[in-house]
Amino acid sequence: MNFTLTEIPLNYYLALSAILFSIGIVGVLTRRNAIIVFICIEMMLNSVNLTLVAFSAFLGNPAGQILVFFVMAVAAAEAAVGLAIVISIFRNKMTVNIDEINIMKW
């Protein structure tokens, strides 16, 4: 079976994207581990990328897919900086629990 993006209805991609985004929101709001929160934020970003690619393919315009490449490049840089910050915090505080990290509070 060879499915292409045009054979699968757009609604399926949008539903999958909404589910991934919802899982990401729940993870950000409920988890206390900084790395897990970071992964959930990345999941939300990738769900938006999926939506962009789905609409791009549905409309037959490759601009959305090109935009996703730029977003992925920025996301890779953001992930590197974010993980470096988490590692730095872990080395100083010996924890990645968000409740115990209060370096931004007065």
Side-chain angles (χ1 to χ4, degrees), residues 16-28 31 35-51 71 75 78-79:
L16 177 63
S17 177
I19 290 169
L20 288 175
F21 195 84
S22 300
I23 291 171
I25 286 177
V26 169
V28 167
R31 302 299 299 256
I35 295 174
I36 300 294
V37 170
F38 193 68
I39 291 171
C40 290
I41 291 170
E42 292 294 323
M43 184 183 304
M44 291 190 308
L45 180 66
N46 284 322
S47 71
V48 173
N49 285 342
L50 177 63
T51 302
V71 170
E78 173 254 335

Side-chain angles (χ1 to χ4, degrees), residues 6-87:
T6 57
E7 294 174 351
I8 299 174
L10 178 65
N11 294 337
Y12 290 179
Y13 292 105
L14 297 180
L16 177 63
S17 177
I19 290 169
L20 288 175
F21 195 84
S22 300
I23 291 171
I25 286 177
V26 169
V28 167
L29 295 177
T30 60
R31 302 299 299 256
R32 300 291 92 196
N33 188 328
I35 295 174
I36 300 294
V37 170
F38 193 68
I39 291 171
C40 290
I41 291 170
E42 292 294 323
M43 184 183 304
M44 291 190 308
L45 180 66
N46 284 322
S47 71
V48 173
N49 285 342
L50 177 63
T51 302
L52 281 172
V53 169
F55 274 116
S56 174
F58 179 73
L59 297 174
N61 186 356
Q65 296 171 8
I66 294 169
L67 178 64
V68 166
F69 279 121
F70 288 114
V71 170
M72 289 172 66
V74 171
E78 173 254 335
V81 171
L83 286 176
I85 291 171
V86 169
I87 289 171

